[in-house]
Amino acid sequence: MGYNPYNGYSGKERDEKEAERARLLKSGEIQLRHTPCELCGDPDTPTKAHVEDYSKPYQWEPPAEYMVCETCENDMLQKRFRNKDRWDSFKAHVRRGGYARDLQDPVINKEFLDYRDAREKGEKVELKKLRDRPESKDEWWERLSLDSNTLTDPKSRPRP
Ligand SMILES: [Zn+2]
């Protein structure tokens, strides 16, 4: 599969957990968790595991891993190190009750792009609320690192 390092785990370690996941799913020893996207909250989207913790013994639930939609995983979580401003703006979008797929709506996407521009210029702007989202001070995605050193530093592992 050829994963890159993440959270201080090598590509090989990441491959090994994914291989074990495939094996356990096939044998029925673990089941896919069906949940709304555990980042943006979209209740109506396919999700896959975003893994923060590849340590053994393997854990298959939060906080080791979260079920997230494809846009949150591929466009946002994986690209956050290269595009920090976009990640910050996306978090603001989620806080205002936005789903990742809302950004496919041209009107919402325009608002999002304008918001990013305004922030870059140092203007204080707000995105308008899209839906109620439960207030939480401790969302896992609020705490993710943007320091690319954490990709390879073994000290960034959640568990040894
Ligand atoms: Zn999502």
Side-chain angles (χ1 to χ4, degrees):
M1 283 183 273
Y3 282 108
N4 295 318
Y6 185 70
N7 274 358
Y9 299 100
S10 68
K12 181 166 174 287
E13 287 171 302
R14 299 182 69 196
D15 281 347
E16 284 169 359
K17 183 173 184 182
E18 292 311 321
E20 182 66 356
R21 178 196 312 283
R23 190 183 76 74
L24 294 175
L25 283 172
K26 197 170 172 204
S27 69
E29 287 165 80
I30 60 171
Q31 268 84 46
L32 269 184
R33 292 195 303 120
H34 293 283
T35 68
C37 174
E38 289 177 319
L39 201 173
C40 72
D42 190 339
D44 190 24
T45 181
T47 54
K48 63 179 185 177
H50 167 80
V51 182
E52 286 290 311
D53 180 337
Y54 291 87
S55 292
K56 293 176 182 171
Y58 291 137
Q59 296 178 352
W60 308 100
E61 293 184 5
E65 51 183 60
Y66 302 88
M67 299 305 289
V68 301
C69 72
E70 200 165 316
T71 308
C72 282
E73 175 65 11
N74 296 345
D75 284 356
M76 302 302 169
L77 288 164
Q78 289 186 10
K79 293 183 182 164
R80 72 184 193 270
F81 298 94
R82 276 173 284 161
N83 203 333
K84 298 179 167 73
D85 292 336
R86 183 157 169 270
W87 171 245
D88 279 342
S89 295
F90 182 66
K91 289 196 292 187
H93 171 71
V94 172
R95 283 182 218 117
R96 56 92 169 245
Y99 300 153
R101 75 174 144 99
D102 290 327
L103 297 176
Q104 292 164 17
D105 179 312
V107 175
I108 294 175
N109 193 46
K110 167 100 171 46
E111 185 205 7
F112 183 69
L113 294 175
D114 289 347
Y115 173 81
R116 290 182 56 193
D117 281 347
R119 279 190 37 157
E120 243 167 69
K121 291 180 198 139
E123 292 166 17
K124 201 158 162 42
V125 278
E126 299 244 356
L127 291 165
K128 68 172 193 294
K129 181 170 151 179
L130 286 177
R131 325 180 160 77
D132 284 319
R133 185 180 167 96
E135 186 95 10
S136 169
K137 296 270 181 289
D138 194 32
E139 302 273 18
W140 64 276
W141 43 269
E142 298 275 16
R143 290 177 268 120
L144 294 178
S145 177
L146 293 178
D147 177 356
S148 53
N149 291 321
T150 63
L151 295 170
T152 50
D153 183 354
K155 287 200 292 292
S156 48
R157 293 173 176 232
R159 288 183 293 152

